[in-house]
């Protein structure tokens, strides 16, 4: 445990960490991979190049500093990250390695501001947090082993289906599992592990499960990530779509994640998604209509246009079958004037014809900018934060 004096020392470094956090974590990852290149088999290299992973870690370190005397405030975020760690196969033995290079990075970047006493205290704080992760992840590994013993098992692609422009669904059936039925909570994801042609390292990516549990397959829906001037093309999304065919094998983890609906309640449910963020929503929508046929659902989705809107036919069938489901589709613009859509332009939740129910639960998934805007609209409409649930694709942007 940390003494009061040690906690004060950590709190005192918080402003410096906030200012230098990205520099610290960028240096950390550079040195970590230089000395332990095998960890590239776990970490998403694209997130390193784009800066999202170093920024996420910087936010986490800062959050520890400001919450050092109330680390229980971080438990929801710790559990969220622990799910990701378990799905990646992070081991307890890797935490001391990470701690070593994180402390070296703090010392290197802060220089004279990082005395031996401060480094020692941060080492103790890191160990407390690492022990918490290890404890939580241990329980998660036990749950995962109830499905299968290994962290990753081979699965065969039994079906491959184009959903819309740049988006393809893969139907995966684990190999060697008798009388298989997919066991997961709608809204969860799996990790897919592949060694792309010409790559020295394994690559792991997480994809939401987009169909119902209980099927004889797991379905993931993958959008082709097209890069730009600063961000390269998505290595795995392009590999999956271009190289993986029906009959091929890939490795997958047991399902993970804490983004699922509380079905002990019957209050109105808003499912709000942007772009490929609709993948977990599709599973949630199909599950809740099946298990809670009287629960009202407002399904809101925003896409650039109809050409990149996946699951259009599935959604139409669900709305026709379940009158308790109301849809609101928004496109930035329409490519075909004949396309039927509720709204064209900028999505504004405060203008939904269904209104915003103050007693409802709101589930959001999509790009960072989209979710930031949606959360701002909901909170400005006085929707309590505890009723707003969201899932990031990629590294969590902050620990709160």
């Amino acid at each position: 445990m940390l003494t009061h004096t040690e906690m004060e020392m950590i709190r005192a470094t918080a402003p410096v960490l906030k200012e230098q956090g990205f520099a610290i974590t960028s240096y950390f990852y550079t040195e970590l991979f230089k000395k332990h290149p095998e960890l590239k088999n776990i970490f998403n290299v694209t997130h390193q190049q784009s800066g999202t992973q170093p920024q996420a870690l910087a936010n986490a370190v800062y959050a520890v500093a400001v919450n050092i005397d109330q680390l229980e405030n971080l438990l929801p975020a710790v559990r969220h990250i622990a799910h990701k760690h378990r799905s990646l196969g992070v081991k307890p033995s890797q935490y001391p390695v990470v701690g070593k290079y994180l402390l070296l990075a703090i010392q290197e970047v802060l220089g004279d501001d990082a005395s031996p006493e401060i480094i020692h205290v941060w080492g103790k704080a890191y160990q407390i947090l690492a022990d918490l992760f290890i404890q939580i992840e241990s329980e998660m590994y036990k749950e995962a082993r109830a499905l299968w013993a290994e962290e990753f098992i081979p699965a065969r692609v039994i079906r491959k289906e184009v959903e819309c422009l740049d988006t393809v669904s893969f139907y995966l059936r684990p190999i060697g599992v008798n009388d298989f039925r997919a066991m997961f909570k709608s809204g969860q994801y799996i990790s897919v592990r592949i060694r792309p042609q010409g790559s020295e390292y394994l690559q792991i990516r997480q994809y939401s499960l987009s169909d119902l549990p209980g099927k004889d397959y797991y379905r993931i829906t993958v959008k082709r990530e097209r890069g730009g001037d600063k961000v390269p093309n998505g290595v795995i999304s392009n590999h999956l779509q271009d190289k993986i065919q029906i009959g091929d094998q890939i490795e997958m983890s047991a399902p993970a994640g804490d983004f699922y609906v509380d079905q002990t309640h019957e209050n109105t449910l808003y499912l709000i998604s942007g772009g490929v963020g609709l993948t977990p929503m599709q599973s949630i929508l199909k599950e809740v209509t099946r298990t809670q046929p009287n629960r009202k659902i407002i399904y809101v989705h925003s896409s650039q246009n109809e050409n990149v809107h996946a699951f259009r036919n599935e959604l139409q069938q669900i709305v026709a079958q379940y009158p308790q489901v109301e849809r609101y589709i928004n496109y930035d613009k329409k490519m075909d004037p004949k396309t039927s859509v509720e709204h064209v332009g900028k999505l504004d939740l405060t203008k939904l014809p269904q209104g915003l129910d103050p007693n409802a639960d709101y589930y959001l998934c999509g790009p960072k900018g989209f979710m930031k805007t949606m959360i701002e609209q909901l909170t400005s409409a006085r929707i309590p934060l505890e009723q707003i649930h969201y899932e990031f694709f990629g590294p969590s942007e902050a620990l709160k």
Side-chain angles (χ1 to χ4, degrees):
M1 298 294 293
L2 294 169
T3 66
H4 176 75
T5 301
E6 290 171 333
M7 288 184 185
E8 288 300 317
M9 289 177 66
I10 288 179
R11 264 196 295 268
T13 63
V16 182
L17 287 174
K18 186 174 184 179
E19 180 181 346
Q20 299 290 340
F22 186 78
I24 290 169
T25 54
S26 296
Y27 182 89
F28 157 75
Y29 280 116
T30 299
E31 293 302 306
L32 179 69
F33 291 144
K34 189 185 299 181
K35 299 297 173 59
H36 292 273
E38 73 279 2
L39 291 178
K40 290 183 179 181
N41 289 307
I42 295 178
F43 286 91
N44 186 323
V45 178
T46 300
H47 289 157
Q48 306 301 322
Q49 294 171 341
S50 66
T52 54
Q53 187 67 62
Q55 187 60 60
L57 180 57
N59 292 338
V61 173
Y62 175 69
V64 170
V66 298
N67 289 280
I68 192 62
D69 58 343
Q70 293 179 311
L71 288 177
E72 63 272 15
N73 293 342
L74 302 181
L75 272 176
V78 167
R79 290 194 64 84
H80 181 77
I81 295 171
H83 273 287
K84 293 183 180 292
H85 286 178
R86 200 280 294 157
S87 77
L88 293 170
V90 172
K91 302 286 194 304
S93 60
Q94 292 166 334
Y95 279 95
V97 175
V98 168
K100 173 184 176 181
Y101 287 95
L102 182 59
L103 294 176
L104 286 174
I106 292 174
Q107 192 167 35
E108 175 67 24
V109 174
L110 299 189
D112 293 340
D113 291 329
S115 67
E117 292 79 12
I118 288 176
I119 296 300
H120 173 71
V121 171
W122 263 104
K124 290 180 66 174
Y126 172 82
Q127 192 58 54
I128 291 171
L129 194 61
D131 289 343
L132 181 59
F133 271 114
I134 291 169
Q135 178 185 347
I136 292 173
E137 288 160 18
S138 174
E139 294 301 315
M140 291 179 176
Y141 276 114
K142 288 179 183 178
E143 293 176 7
R145 291 190 190 103
L147 292 180
W148 48 75
E150 303 297 327
E151 287 148 16
F152 285 87
I153 65 168
R156 193 178 311 280
V157 178
I158 61 170
R159 183 176 166 192
K160 181 179 178 181
E161 187 171 301
V162 176
E163 301 291 354
C164 65
L165 179 66
D166 280 346
T167 302
V168 174
S169 285
F170 295 83
Y171 294 71
L172 309 175
R173 182 176 295 156
I175 295 171
V177 181
N178 296 325
D179 194 25
F180 171 74
R181 288 293 181 270
M183 301 294 291
F184 64 95
K185 296 178 180 178
S186 290
Q188 290 189 308
Y189 55 83
I190 61 170
S191 287
V192 169
R193 185 167 71 176
I194 293 172
R195 190 188 301 274
Q197 186 176 4
S199 174
E200 183 180 357
Y201 300 102
L202 293 166
Q203 299 274 323
I204 302 176
R205 298 294 186 273
Q206 293 154 332
Y207 294 106
S208 293
L209 294 159
S210 60
D211 208 343
L212 285 166
K215 301 282 189 177
D216 65 349
Y217 57 78
Y218 288 103
R219 185 176 77 173
I220 60 172
T221 303
V222 180
K223 177 187 176 184
R224 185 190 298 273
E225 296 297 335
R226 299 186 182 275
D229 294 337
K230 296 182 180 180
V231 180
N233 288 335
V235 174
I236 299 304
S237 64
N238 281 271
H239 178 86
L240 285 168
Q241 292 203 17
D242 295 339
K243 303 296 183 182
I244 301 300
Q245 304 300 330
I246 295 173
D248 289 346
Q249 295 183 28
I250 60 177
E251 290 186 300
M252 62 172 284
S253 74
D258 53 4
F259 183 71
Y260 44 82
V261 171
D262 181 356
Q263 295 192 51
T264 63
H265 299 154
E266 288 280 351
N267 57 330
T268 298
L269 180 63
Y270 285 73
L271 303 178
I272 304 168
S273 59
V276 77
L278 56 67
T279 52
M281 301 304 190
Q282 198 68 11
S283 179
I284 292 172
L285 175 65
K286 296 172 81 170
E287 174 70 2
V288 175
T289 53
R290 183 180 69 168
T291 59
Q292 295 184 290
N294 296 319
R295 189 171 189 178
K296 184 177 180 179
I297 301 174
I298 310 298
Y299 181 96
V300 181
H301 177 66
S302 184
S303 286
Q304 291 180 346
N305 55 63
E306 64 268 42
N307 293 342
V308 292
H309 180 189
F311 304 128
R312 290 174 65 191
N313 291 336
E314 271 194 9
L315 177 61
Q316 186 175 346
Q317 293 169 7
I318 293 169
V319 172
Q321 184 178 358
Y322 297 97
Q324 77 271 26
V325 178
E326 298 179 23
R327 73 166 220 173
Y328 186 88
I329 305 302
N330 180 87
Y331 295 150
D332 294 343
K333 63 180 180 180
K334 289 197 295 186
M335 305 305 291
D336 183 350
K338 298 179 182 179
T339 299
S340 176
V341 65
E342 280 69 37
H343 185 258
V344 177
K346 185 177 180 181
L347 176 61
D348 187 345
L349 298 178
T350 64
K351 296 181 180 179
L352 290 178
Q354 296 87 351
L356 296 176
D357 184 344
N359 299 312
D361 276 322
Y362 294 79
Y363 284 76
L364 284 68
C365 189
K368 175 185 174 183
F370 170 83
M371 289 204 296
K372 183 175 184 293
T373 299
M374 295 301 100
I375 291 171
E376 288 173 351
Q377 291 179 6
L378 291 174
T379 53
S380 69
R382 298 186 178 179
I383 303 299
L385 275 174
E386 59 268 22
Q387 293 166 216
I388 303 173
H389 317 270
Y390 53 91
E391 176 80 319
F392 279 110
F393 281 170
S396 297
E397 297 294 328
L399 276 170
K400 294 186 178 180

Short mmCIF file of all heavy atoms in Angstrom, two decimals, residues 187-212:
data_model
loop_
_atom_site.label_atom_id
_atom_site.label_comp_id
_atom_site.label_asym_id
_atom_site.label_seq_id
_atom_site.Cartn_x
_atom_site.Cartn_y
_atom_site.Cartn_z
N GLY A 187 -23.21 -8.04 -28.19
CA GLY A 187 -22.43 -6.83 -27.95
C GLY A 187 -20.96 -7.13 -27.70
O GLY A 187 -20.13 -6.23 -27.76
N GLN A 188 -20.64 -8.41 -27.43
CA GLN A 188 -19.25 -8.78 -27.20
C GLN A 188 -18.49 -8.94 -28.52
O GLN A 188 -19.07 -8.87 -29.60
CB GLN A 188 -19.18 -10.07 -26.38
CG GLN A 188 -19.62 -9.91 -24.93
CD GLN A 188 -19.33 -11.14 -24.09
OE1 GLN A 188 -19.70 -12.26 -24.44
NE2 GLN A 188 -18.65 -10.94 -22.97
N TYR A 189 -17.19 -9.19 -28.40
CA TYR A 189 -16.32 -9.32 -29.57
C TYR A 189 -15.40 -10.52 -29.40
O TYR A 189 -15.30 -11.11 -28.32
CB TYR A 189 -15.47 -8.05 -29.75
CG TYR A 189 -14.67 -7.67 -28.53
CD1 TYR A 189 -13.43 -8.26 -28.26
CD2 TYR A 189 -15.14 -6.73 -27.62
CE1 TYR A 189 -12.70 -7.92 -27.13
CE2 TYR A 189 -14.42 -6.38 -26.48
CZ TYR A 189 -13.20 -6.98 -26.25
OH TYR A 189 -12.49 -6.65 -25.12
N ILE A 190 -14.73 -10.89 -30.48
CA ILE A 190 -13.66 -11.88 -30.42
C ILE A 190 -12.40 -11.24 -30.99
O ILE A 190 -12.46 -10.24 -31.71
CB ILE A 190 -13.99 -13.17 -31.21
CG1 ILE A 190 -14.21 -12.85 -32.69
CG2 ILE A 190 -15.18 -13.90 -30.60
CD1 ILE A 190 -14.30 -14.08 -33.58
N SER A 191 -11.26 -11.83 -30.67
CA SER A 191 -10.00 -11.45 -31.31
C SER A 191 -9.70 -12.46 -32.41
O SER A 191 -9.91 -13.66 -32.24
CB SER A 191 -8.85 -11.42 -30.30
OG SER A 191 -8.96 -10.31 -29.44
N VAL A 192 -9.21 -11.96 -33.51
CA VAL A 192 -8.78 -12.79 -34.63
C VAL A 192 -7.27 -12.64 -34.76
O VAL A 192 -6.75 -11.51 -34.73
CB VAL A 192 -9.48 -12.34 -35.94
CG1 VAL A 192 -8.85 -13.01 -37.14
CG2 VAL A 192 -10.97 -12.65 -35.86
N ARG A 193 -6.56 -13.77 -34.84
CA ARG A 193 -5.10 -13.73 -34.92
C ARG A 193 -4.64 -14.33 -36.25
O ARG A 193 -4.98 -15.46 -36.59
CB ARG A 193 -4.48 -14.50 -33.75
CG ARG A 193 -2.95 -14.39 -33.70
CD ARG A 193 -2.40 -14.89 -32.38
NE ARG A 193 -2.49 -16.33 -32.25
CZ ARG A 193 -2.01 -17.03 -31.21
NH1 ARG A 193 -1.43 -16.37 -30.21
NH2 ARG A 193 -2.11 -18.35 -31.16
N ILE A 194 -3.84 -13.55 -36.97
CA ILE A 194 -3.39 -13.92 -38.32
C ILE A 194 -1.94 -13.49 -38.49
O ILE A 194 -1.52 -12.47 -37.93
CB ILE A 194 -4.26 -13.22 -39.39
CG1 ILE A 194 -5.70 -13.75 -39.35
CG2 ILE A 194 -3.69 -13.40 -40.79
CD1 ILE A 194 -6.65 -12.99 -40.22
N ARG A 195 -1.19 -14.24 -39.27
CA ARG A 195 0.13 -13.79 -39.70
C ARG A 195 0.01 -13.46 -41.19
O ARG A 195 0.06 -14.36 -42.04
CB ARG A 195 1.20 -14.85 -39.49
CG ARG A 195 2.63 -14.28 -39.72
CD ARG A 195 3.69 -15.39 -39.70
NE ARG A 195 3.71 -16.13 -38.46
CZ ARG A 195 4.39 -15.76 -37.38
NH1 ARG A 195 5.10 -14.64 -37.40
NH2 ARG A 195 4.36 -16.49 -36.28
N PRO A 196 -0.13 -12.19 -41.54
CA PRO A 196 -0.27 -11.82 -42.96
C PRO A 196 0.98 -12.22 -43.76
O PRO A 196 2.09 -12.30 -43.21
CB PRO A 196 -0.43 -10.30 -42.92
CG PRO A 196 -0.82 -9.98 -41.52
CD PRO A 196 -0.17 -11.02 -40.67
N GLN A 197 0.79 -12.45 -45.03
CA GLN A 197 1.90 -12.82 -45.89
C GLN A 197 2.99 -11.75 -45.85
O GLN A 197 2.73 -10.57 -46.00
CB GLN A 197 1.41 -13.01 -47.33
CG GLN A 197 2.46 -13.55 -48.28
CD GLN A 197 1.89 -13.81 -49.67
OE1 GLN A 197 0.73 -13.52 -49.92
NE2 GLN A 197 2.69 -14.36 -50.55
N GLY A 198 4.22 -12.18 -45.59
CA GLY A 198 5.34 -11.26 -45.54
C GLY A 198 5.56 -10.60 -44.19
O GLY A 198 6.51 -9.84 -44.03
N SER A 199 4.69 -10.89 -43.21
CA SER A 199 4.82 -10.27 -41.90
C SER A 199 5.65 -11.16 -40.98
O SER A 199 5.49 -12.37 -40.94
CB SER A 199 3.43 -10.05 -41.27
OG SER A 199 3.56 -9.58 -39.94
N GLU A 200 6.53 -10.52 -40.22
CA GLU A 200 7.37 -11.25 -39.27
C GLU A 200 6.59 -11.63 -38.02
O GLU A 200 6.94 -12.59 -37.33
CB GLU A 200 8.58 -10.39 -38.90
CG GLU A 200 9.58 -11.06 -37.98
CD GLU A 200 10.75 -10.17 -37.64
OE1 GLU A 200 10.84 -9.04 -38.18
OE2 GLU A 200 11.60 -10.60 -36.82
N TYR A 201 5.52 -10.87 -37.75
CA TYR A 201 4.81 -11.06 -36.48
C TYR A 201 3.34 -11.41 -36.71
O TYR A 201 2.76 -11.09 -37.76
CB TYR A 201 4.89 -9.78 -35.63
CG TYR A 201 6.31 -9.39 -35.29
CD1 TYR A 201 6.95 -8.37 -35.99
CD2 TYR A 201 7.01 -10.08 -34.30
CE1 TYR A 201 8.26 -8.03 -35.68
CE2 TYR A 201 8.31 -9.73 -34.00
CZ TYR A 201 8.94 -8.71 -34.69
OH TYR A 201 10.23 -8.37 -34.40
N LEU A 202 2.76 -12.05 -35.70
CA LEU A 202 1.32 -12.27 -35.69
C LEU A 202 0.62 -10.92 -35.51
O LEU A 202 1.16 -9.99 -34.90
CB LEU A 202 0.94 -13.20 -34.54
CG LEU A 202 1.43 -14.65 -34.63
CD1 LEU A 202 1.28 -15.34 -33.28
CD2 LEU A 202 0.65 -15.41 -35.70
N GLN A 203 -0.57 -10.84 -36.03
CA GLN A 203 -1.37 -9.62 -35.89
C GLN A 203 -2.70 -10.02 -35.27
O GLN A 203 -3.34 -10.98 -35.70
CB GLN A 203 -1.60 -8.97 -37.25
CG GLN A 203 -0.34 -8.54 -37.97
CD GLN A 203 0.12 -7.16 -37.55
OE1 GLN A 203 -0.69 -6.27 -37.30
NE2 GLN A 203 1.42 -6.98 -37.45
N ILE A 204 -3.14 -9.27 -34.26
CA ILE A 204 -4.40 -9.54 -33.58
C ILE A 204 -5.32 -8.34 -33.73
O ILE A 204 -4.90 -7.20 -33.52
CB ILE A 204 -4.18 -9.85 -32.09
CG1 ILE A 204 -3.25 -11.04 -31.90
CG2 ILE A 204 -5.53 -10.13 -31.40
CD1 ILE A 204 -2.90 -11.33 -30.44
N ARG A 205 -6.56 -8.61 -34.11
CA ARG A 205 -7.57 -7.56 -34.19
C ARG A 205 -8.86 -8.05 -33.53
O ARG A 205 -9.16 -9.23 -33.53
CB ARG A 205 -7.87 -7.18 -35.65
CG ARG A 205 -6.70 -6.62 -36.42
CD ARG A 205 -6.23 -5.29 -35.90
NE ARG A 205 -5.19 -4.74 -36.75
CZ ARG A 205 -3.89 -5.00 -36.62
NH1 ARG A 205 -3.48 -5.83 -35.66
NH2 ARG A 205 -3.01 -4.47 -37.43
N GLN A 206 -9.60 -7.11 -32.99
CA GLN A 206 -10.84 -7.44 -32.31
C GLN A 206 -12.02 -6.99 -33.16
O GLN A 206 -12.05 -5.85 -33.64
CB GLN A 206 -10.87 -6.77 -30.92
CG GLN A 206 -9.83 -7.35 -29.99
CD GLN A 206 -9.38 -6.42 -28.89
OE1 GLN A 206 -9.41 -5.21 -29.05
NE2 GLN A 206 -8.93 -6.98 -27.78
N TYR A 207 -12.98 -7.91 -33.31
CA TYR A 207 -14.17 -7.63 -34.12
C TYR A 207 -15.42 -8.02 -33.35
O TYR A 207 -15.50 -9.11 -32.77
CB TYR A 207 -14.12 -8.41 -35.44
CG TYR A 207 -13.00 -7.98 -36.35
CD1 TYR A 207 -11.88 -8.78 -36.53
CD2 TYR A 207 -13.06 -6.76 -37.03
CE1 TYR A 207 -10.84 -8.38 -37.36
CE2 TYR A 207 -12.02 -6.35 -37.86
CZ TYR A 207 -10.91 -7.16 -38.02
OH TYR A 207 -9.89 -6.76 -38.84
N SER A 208 -16.41 -7.13 -33.35
CA SER A 208 -17.68 -7.42 -32.69
C SER A 208 -18.38 -8.58 -33.37
O SER A 208 -18.29 -8.76 -34.59
CB SER A 208 -18.58 -6.18 -32.72
OG SER A 208 -18.04 -5.14 -31.95
N LEU A 209 -19.10 -9.34 -32.57
CA LEU A 209 -19.94 -10.41 -33.09
C LEU A 209 -21.26 -9.80 -33.53
O LEU A 209 -21.91 -9.09 -32.76
CB LEU A 209 -20.14 -11.48 -32.03
CG LEU A 209 -18.84 -12.21 -31.66
CD1 LEU A 209 -18.94 -12.86 -30.29
CD2 LEU A 209 -18.48 -13.23 -32.72
N SER A 210 -21.64 -10.06 -34.77
CA SER A 210 -22.75 -9.31 -35.37
C SER A 210 -24.02 -10.13 -35.55
O SER A 210 -24.97 -9.65 -36.19
CB SER A 210 -22.31 -8.72 -36.71
OG SER A 210 -21.93 -9.74 -37.62
N ASP A 211 -24.05 -11.35 -35.03
CA ASP A 211 -25.26 -12.16 -35.14
C ASP A 211 -25.65 -12.68 -33.76
O ASP A 211 -24.99 -12.41 -32.76
CB ASP A 211 -25.05 -13.32 -36.12
CG ASP A 211 -26.35 -13.75 -36.80
OD1 ASP A 211 -27.43 -13.40 -36.29
OD2 ASP A 211 -26.28 -14.44 -37.84
N LEU A 212 -26.72 -13.46 -33.72
CA LEU A 212 -27.23 -13.99 -32.47
C LEU A 212 -26.30 -15.04 -31.85
O LEU A 212 -25.63 -15.77 -32.60
CB LEU A 212 -28.58 -14.65 -32.70
CG LEU A 212 -29.79 -13.74 -32.91
CD1 LEU A 212 -30.95 -14.56 -33.46
CD2 LEU A 212 -30.18 -13.08 -31.60
#
